[in-house]
Amino acid sequence: MSETLEPALPSALDQKAERLMRRLCDADLKVATAESCTGDLLASLLTDIEGAGRAFDRGFVTYDEKAKQELLGLTPQMTERNGAVTSAVARAMAEGALQNSRADIALSVTGFAAPAGEGQEEGLVHFGCARRSKDTILREEHFGAIGRSPVRIKALRVLLEMLERVLDQPSI
């Protein structure tokens, strides 16, 4: 079980993270994260599991568009043309995290966890999961105006589901 985030997180979420990190360790795989709206919650959850640290490579907290460009290789045109909360950006974040790490799998998240500007949907979150030599998996969720913390917790749940899905795929 994680220590720092528990009991703030639902125990089922914490237990799932632990199971997945153990699976990564058993498979000798590493994961990296690229987080925006969750602000490093996923990396914190995954690195808080005792004995599973060897399965985590690094985390990128790229809340700002410039950070996405500098750390993950997104072009200014991508975020200017598409906005920072799109499936294209989630894909580029996951693939950029993979390219800029020694990880085998990278998870990304970008979204509006709290009230956003006009024309921006509160609770809209885009996710990406990239694995070397595999197609990147994307997901979009509309959590609604449920509040910042609940959106972030739901986003963690989706990210763990995506990690599980990619681990369940054959590696060939």
Side-chain angles (χ1 to χ4, degrees), residues 8 19 23 28 35-36 46 73 80 90 98-99 106 118 120-121 131 141 147 169 171:
R19 281 193 312 275
R23 284 184 66 186
D28 199 28
E35 299 179 71
S36 186
L46 298 179
E80 288 169 8
L98 207 55
Q99 290 172 351
E118 189 171 324
Q120 297 172 328
E121 178 189 343
R131 183 168 184 177
E141 291 290 336
Q169 293 177 342
S171 59

Side-chain angles (χ1 to χ4, degrees), residues 82-93:
N82 297 311
V85 180
T86 65
S87 60
V89 169
R91 175 188 300 277
M93 288 173 66

Side-chain angles (χ1 to χ4, degrees), residues 17 21 31 33 41-49 56 107 160 163:
M21 287 301 285
V31 67
T33 60
L41 281 177
L42 179 61
S44 183
L45 174 63
L46 298 179
T47 59
D48 205 29
I49 298 167
F56 188 85
L107 297 159
L160 293 177
L163 178 57

Side-chain angles (χ1 to χ4, degrees), residues 53 81 85 96 118 156 166:
R81 180 178 59 243
V85 180
E118 189 171 324
L156 287 176
V166 79

Side-chain angles (χ1 to χ4, degrees), residues 122-135:
E122 183 177 352
L124 171 64
V125 184
H126 288 273
F127 304 87
C129 182
R131 183 168 184 177
R132 296 201 187 275
S133 304
K134 297 281 186 182
D135 292 333

Side-chain angles (χ1 to χ4, degrees), residues 112 121-124 142-147 151:
F112 301 117
E121 178 189 343
E122 183 177 352
L124 171 64
H142 301 265
F143 297 124
I146 59 174
V151 166

